[in-house]
Amino acid sequence: MAIPTESPVPLLSTPISPVSSGEREPVLVMGAGLLGRLMAVSLVETGHPVRIVDAAASADTGSSAAHMAAAMLAPLAESAVTEPSVVAQGYYSLSRWPSLLAHLPQPVFFQQEGTLILWHRQDQGEAKRFSALLAEALNRLSSLPTPQPLDAEALAEMEPAVAGRFVQGLYLPQEGQLDNRQLLSALLAKLRAHNLEVEWNCALGLEEAQTWQYRTGGWVLDCRGLGASRQWAADEPLRGVRGEVIRLYAPDVTLRRPTRLLHPRYPIYIAPKQEHLFIVGATEIEADDLSPISVRSTLELLSAAYAVHPAFAEARILELGSQCRPTLPDHLPAVVESSPRILQINGLYRHGFMIAPALHDAALEYLHQGTRTLAMQLGIRFQVDTANSRLPAPEKPAQCVF
């Protein structure tokens, strides 16, 4: 997969390498979303001189998909709608999150108490369809945990908050969630502990990054998400898939774990965080549209939440949000070495938090060892495509000194 060329840029055969034996190469991380911050933290902790830049004005703009996410870690639930490779990446990542969080200077809410699937009597057909999809996934991946059917009594025992309103459900064991904004803040705090600050309002393109690379002999990690859409392969365009979420404060709702309501028109998830915070979402719209959440989505999400627990009627709406997730045509992530020591990591779609540690570890393995063993094991598309690569001209002049 080659990077498209709008106006050819000469590509030097080999970057200069001022790094002496035993030292770590410098790394430029483009993009300070979830993956960019994870990469920067791991690299600076292993001795690399790191520079991290982002086009956003500041950390408080909420411009990244990671800022808006519910951060559910639900590979079994997602196995009904995604490829086995993503499921494998999700389970690998689920096992990695505790160790990644343990080294952060601020606490991050992490829970692994499974996912609850609910449906109303009239939506029994949706439940059968979903169960059939899970069964197919179990046939493909025999190592998946087995979903547990719940009758009214078992459901009431597992999740008392929904007792009496639902007579059956499914429990998906081992699944989890974390608090996305606590994590993003903790990663920034970790960088600051290493005297590293994100350079905000710094919109570098790949051409400027390559210039930096030849001056330093370092690596470039492009983790810009949709910010890299004009510098991705023309034959596999990177697009945005819009999602809309609502953040609620609901002190009278006591859901213990992420809950999904099956419905033919508006299936939703409810992710309970700390301090009575709930994130409600699930809309998925094929559009690079960053406008505010629509009235229709708001009504459907709130109505579905009320159907799960009537105490949501007295909840307070803290935030109505929308964001676009970077998505490739096959809905799968990809890592591409588009030029020597320039890795483009993108296409995490709706699975960012679920699979980010897998992409993180695969990229670090390649950067440090030159191998792609983990990527092969987890089915991560990892392409080395440097032979005929040409980088496009920058999208706009750089807004920062490099």
Side-chain angles (χ1 to χ4, degrees), residues 262-319:
L262 301 180
H263 189 278
R265 209 163 61 104
Y266 45 87
I268 72 159
Y269 59 76
I270 302 173
K273 308 298 183 182
Q274 292 176 306
E275 305 297 331
H276 309 292
L277 172 67
F278 294 84
I279 299 178
V280 182
T283 55
E284 188 169 298
I285 303 167
E286 284 283 350
D288 282 326
D289 178 9
L290 295 176
S291 63
I293 185 172
S294 69
V295 170
R296 175 177 178 174
S297 295
T298 302
L299 291 173
E300 289 181 345
L301 292 175
L302 291 178
S303 296
Y306 175 75
V308 171
H309 200 302
F312 276 118
E314 297 302 320
R316 296 299 180 257
I317 298 175
L318 303 179
E319 186 178 324

Side-chain angles (χ1 to χ4, degrees), residues 210-294:
Q210 190 186 37
T211 301
W212 173 91
Q213 180 191 50
Y214 289 136
R215 290 171 53 187
T216 63
W219 285 78
V220 174
L221 303 183
D222 185 353
C223 305
R224 291 177 294 161
L226 284 174
S229 57
R230 294 186 182 181
Q231 296 180 321
W232 196 257
D235 58 335
E236 287 193 303
L238 187 68
R239 73 188 193 281
V241 175
R242 176 181 167 94
E244 298 172 326
V245 299
I246 303 176
R247 297 172 74 88
L248 301 173
Y249 172 70
D252 296 326
V253 179
T254 56
L255 288 175
R256 297 174 178 174
R257 56 182 56 79
T259 300
R260 298 189 181 214
L261 179 66
L262 301 180
H263 189 278
R265 209 163 61 104
Y266 45 87
I268 72 159
Y269 59 76
I270 302 173
K273 308 298 183 182
Q274 292 176 306
E275 305 297 331
H276 309 292
L277 172 67
F278 294 84
I279 299 178
V280 182
T283 55
E284 188 169 298
I285 303 167
E286 284 283 350
D288 282 326
D289 178 9
L290 295 176
S291 63
I293 185 172
S294 69

Side-chain angles (χ1 to χ4, degrees), residues 76-77 79 91 115 131 134-135 137-139 141-150 158 170-175:
L76 180 55
S79 70
Y91 274 107
T115 298
S131 297
L134 286 182
L138 286 166
N139 286 333
L141 296 170
S142 59
S143 61
L144 296 182
T146 303
Q148 301 175 14
L150 303 173
M158 175 168 288
L170 274 177
Y171 174 64
L172 309 185
Q174 300 182 19
E175 302 203 313

